[in-house]
């Protein structure tokens, strides 16, 4: 039986690795970029007069991204940079030829102008395009300039159409898994803290928990990168109906976990300072240690339930996760009251390091307050309103068009109601 189990694992593990390999963003982008570059090169051979129009596949490689939103924005910036560079080169070619000082001057002008036209990461492309066009003979400037713009447009259009016809996958699941992984690490840290409460806690052990809490900062940076990619995949994606809501739910959820991680790190520092002050005795009395262990256990499960809640897409599962979170938070608050009374009794009997006791209780309160269900709902509403307000301010014409469409629909519905009444 054991041998069969080992054989199953030997067979399934490579399959699982293959599935994970195919689902990696790097793999997806590599395959898509390769196909788009080849297609753009073939199209450029038909339309461009250049014998080897490599600008087209180069543009496709730069344009095709793992999300439709980044593909569109990259296409616009890339074409913008090339056109500006070509125009600068045409202007310089009519005045001066290619010398060392004219080369330096055109590079300087291109880099400065590229900042003003908001070419983004393609600012060097402005100078590259200008240099390539300026490097040809005067009689070939116009033809070379046109070919470079044409090839850039071909690469950008092919890359954009490729991602529109073959819509990139949503990267919400990897981001959700990253958020749940972060919550799991925070949960394990809370459980470890609860176990340290009973008995004597050496300073080295408390310091190790503090180091583990500090490592959460690195984890949060990685989760944030994964979430940014998921947010981009939700923008302009025709397969997503509530992209804004999904982005806001995930982003506000990660913000809550990030704040909780910072407070948890502070709590670990408080316990480390307490361990330094009580090297020959337990940190807390047996009753208080047991109460703290129970409290940290409820908080650990609350953190995991919170992560499941913000990453669950099905409404029924979300309601179940929210109910579990509410239960764990209620149990945490009950345990917190017990801990508060025991801490007060302990400080009255032995007032040493009373400020650390108060700090620990305040840090527990902050974490529970951050994960509060009602506060989360308020934060979601505020963020959705803020996003809608920013969209209206950024695109006023689109907002006016939407308002007219709404009024038109209301007017047609009113006419139908009147006709039905008659």
């Amino acid at each position: 039986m054991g041998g069969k189990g080992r054989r199953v694992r030997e067979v399934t593990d490579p399959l699982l690795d293959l599935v994970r390999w195919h689902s990696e963003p790097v793999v997806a982008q590599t395959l898509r970029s390769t196909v788009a570059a080849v297609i753009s090169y073939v199209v450029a051979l038909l339309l461009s007069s250049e014998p080897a129009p490599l600008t087209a596949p180069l543009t496709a490689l730069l344009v095709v991204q793992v999300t439709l939103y980044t593909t569109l924005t990259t296409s616009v910036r890339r074409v913008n940079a090339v056109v500006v560079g070509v125009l600068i080169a045409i202007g310089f070619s009519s005045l001066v030829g290619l010398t060392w000082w004219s080369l330096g001057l055109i590079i300087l002008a291109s880099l400065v102008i590229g900042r003003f036209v908001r070419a983004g990461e393609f600012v060097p492309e402005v100078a590259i395009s200008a240099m390539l066009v300026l490097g040809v003979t005067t009689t070939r400037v116009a033809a070379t300039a046109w070919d470079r713009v044409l090839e850039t447009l071909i690469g950008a259009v092919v890359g954009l159409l490729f991602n529109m016809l073959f819509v990139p996958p949503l990267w919400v699941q990897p981001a959700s898994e990253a958020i749940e992984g972060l919550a799991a690490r925070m949960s394990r840290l809370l459980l470890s803290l609860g176990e340290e409460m009973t008995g004597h806690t050496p300073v080295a052990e408390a310091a190790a928990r503090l180091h583990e809490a500090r490592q959460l900062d690195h984890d949060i940076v990685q989760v944030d990168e994964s979430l940014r990619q998921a947010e981009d995949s939700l923008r302009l994606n025709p397969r997503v109906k509530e992209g804004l809501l999904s982005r806001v739910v995930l982003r506000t959820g990660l913000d809550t976990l990030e704040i909780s991680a910072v407070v948890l790190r502070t709590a670990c520092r408080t316990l480390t300072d307490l361990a330094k002050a009580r090297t020959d005795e337990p940190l807390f009395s047996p009753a208080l240690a047991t109460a703290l262990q129970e409290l940290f256990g409820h908080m650990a499960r609350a953190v995991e339930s919170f992560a499941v809640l913000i990453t669950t897409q099905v409404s029924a599962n979300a309601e179940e996760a929210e109910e579990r979170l509410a239960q764990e938070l209620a149990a945490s608050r009950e345990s917190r009251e017990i801990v508060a009374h025991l801490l007060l009794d302990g400080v009255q009997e032995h007032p040493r390091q009373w400020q650390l006791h108060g700090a620990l209780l305040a840090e527990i309160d902050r974490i529970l307050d951050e994960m509060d269900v009602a506060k989360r709902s308020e934060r979601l509403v505020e963020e959705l309103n803020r996003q809608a307000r920013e969209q209206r301010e950024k695109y006023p014409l689109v907002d006016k068009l939407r308002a007219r469409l709404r009024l038109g629909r209301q007017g047609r519905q009113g006419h139908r109601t009147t006709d039905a009444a008659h």
Side-chain angles (χ1 to χ4, degrees):
M1 186 69 178
K4 183 183 288 186
R6 284 192 295 272
R7 285 195 297 272
V8 170
R9 284 194 295 272
E10 290 172 359
V11 172
T12 55
D13 287 350
L15 293 176
L16 290 175
D17 292 340
L18 182 62
V19 171
R20 294 191 189 99
W21 185 80
H22 277 292
S23 63
E24 284 294 324
V26 175
V27 177
Q29 182 175 358
T30 300
L31 296 176
R32 300 171 72 86
S33 298
T34 301
V35 175
V38 172
I39 294 174
S40 64
Y41 180 72
V42 174
V43 175
L45 282 175
L46 298 174
L47 301 179
S48 176
S49 61
E50 289 290 326
L54 295 177
T55 302
L58 173 62
T59 302
L61 285 174
L62 295 173
V63 163
V64 175
Q65 302 292 323
V66 293
T67 67
L68 184 59
Y69 175 77
T70 51
T71 296
L72 178 60
T73 54
T74 303
S75 300
V76 173
R77 289 196 296 268
R78 167 80 178 177
V79 172
N80 179 35
V82 171
V83 171
V84 171
V86 167
L87 292 176
I88 293 174
I90 292 175
F92 268 79
S93 65
S94 62
L95 299 175
V96 296
L98 180 60
T99 62
W100 66 267
W101 61 268
S102 64
L103 178 65
L105 188 60
I106 196 172
I107 292 175
L108 178 62
S110 299
L111 294 179
V112 172
I113 295 174
R115 299 290 179 183
F116 283 101
V117 298
R118 298 182 180 180
E121 68 271 25
F122 292 115
V123 168
E125 183 68 22
V126 180
I128 293 172
S129 298
M131 285 190 295
L132 291 178
V133 174
L134 189 64
V136 301
T137 60
T138 306
T139 58
R140 285 280 299 160
V141 166
T144 303
W146 164 246
D147 286 335
R148 182 158 179 80
V149 172
L150 177 62
E151 291 170 23
T152 301
L153 288 173
I154 291 172
V157 170
V158 169
L160 183 59
L161 290 177
F162 187 85
N163 264 10
M164 291 180 67
L165 294 175
F166 304 97
V167 181
L170 295 174
W171 301 109
V172 176
Q173 186 61 31
S176 300
E177 292 175 356
I179 290 175
E180 291 179 359
L182 172 64
R185 288 186 287 275
M186 294 174 61
S187 176
R188 287 194 296 269
L189 180 56
L190 284 166
L191 292 175
S192 299
L193 291 177
E195 293 173 357
E196 288 181 4
M197 296 299 102
T198 58
H200 174 62
T201 303
V203 176
E205 189 174 342
R209 299 287 80 77
L210 176 59
H211 177 72
E212 186 177 348
R214 287 171 175 167
Q215 288 298 110
L216 291 175
D217 291 343
H218 177 68
D219 298 334
I220 289 171
V221 171
Q222 293 181 328
V223 176
D224 183 70
E225 292 177 358
S226 180
L227 181 54
R228 287 181 185 277
Q229 182 172 261
E231 289 173 329
D232 286 343
S233 71
L234 290 168
R235 291 187 173 97
L236 305 179
N237 197 309
R239 294 180 297 176
V240 180
K241 293 182 179 180
E242 298 291 342
L244 176 59
L245 179 59
S246 300
R247 296 201 311 268
V248 170
V249 168
L250 291 173
R251 175 56 61 183
T252 55
L254 179 59
D255 291 343
T256 297
L257 288 177
E258 183 176 1
I259 294 172
S260 300
V262 173
V263 179
L264 181 57
R265 182 181 63 202
T266 307
C268 290
R269 179 56 190 263
T270 299
L271 292 172
T272 303
D273 292 342
L274 196 59
K276 291 178 181 178
R278 300 181 180 179
T279 55
D280 299 326
E281 58 182 317
L283 297 183
F284 304 101
S285 64
L288 180 54
T290 301
L292 280 170
Q293 185 177 20
E294 181 180 357
L295 172 58
F296 284 133
H298 287 304
M299 292 175 64
R301 290 186 289 274
V303 169
E304 290 186 338
S305 298
F306 181 84
V308 172
L309 172 61
I310 64 176
T311 56
T312 299
Q313 303 299 318
V314 183
S315 58
N317 295 337
E319 291 177 2
E320 183 180 349
E322 186 171 352
E323 184 179 351
R324 288 199 304 270
L325 174 60
Q327 291 174 353
E328 292 298 341
L329 289 176
S332 298
R333 291 190 177 93
E334 291 180 4
S335 298
R336 182 264 178 206
E337 293 302 318
I338 297 174
V339 168
H341 288 298
L342 291 174
L343 280 174
L344 180 60
D345 294 340
V347 167
Q348 289 175 345
E349 294 179 6
H350 304 287
R352 295 176 306 148
Q353 293 87 40
W354 60 268
Q355 72 279 10
L356 295 178
H357 289 194
L360 179 62
L361 190 62
E363 287 145 8
I364 291 172
D365 287 339
R366 291 193 187 102
I367 294 177
L368 295 178
D369 181 64
E370 282 298 322
M371 292 188 295
D372 185 72
V373 176
K375 184 174 182 179
R376 171 183 171 273
S377 300
E378 292 177 1
R379 186 179 296 128
L380 279 176
V381 173
E382 291 175 357
E383 185 62 20
L384 286 171
N385 292 335
R386 187 185 69 82
Q387 293 272 359
R389 185 171 59 253
E390 288 182 354
Q391 287 296 318
R392 289 195 300 269
E393 295 174 353
K394 190 174 182 180
Y395 306 106
L397 294 178
V398 176
D399 183 59
K400 291 180 180 178
L401 180 59
R402 288 176 178 172
R404 291 179 180 177
L405 290 175
R406 284 195 299 267
L407 289 175
R409 285 195 298 266
Q410 292 174 0
R412 287 192 296 270
Q413 290 174 356
H415 286 306
R416 292 194 197 100
T417 304
T418 304
D419 294 340
H422 288 298

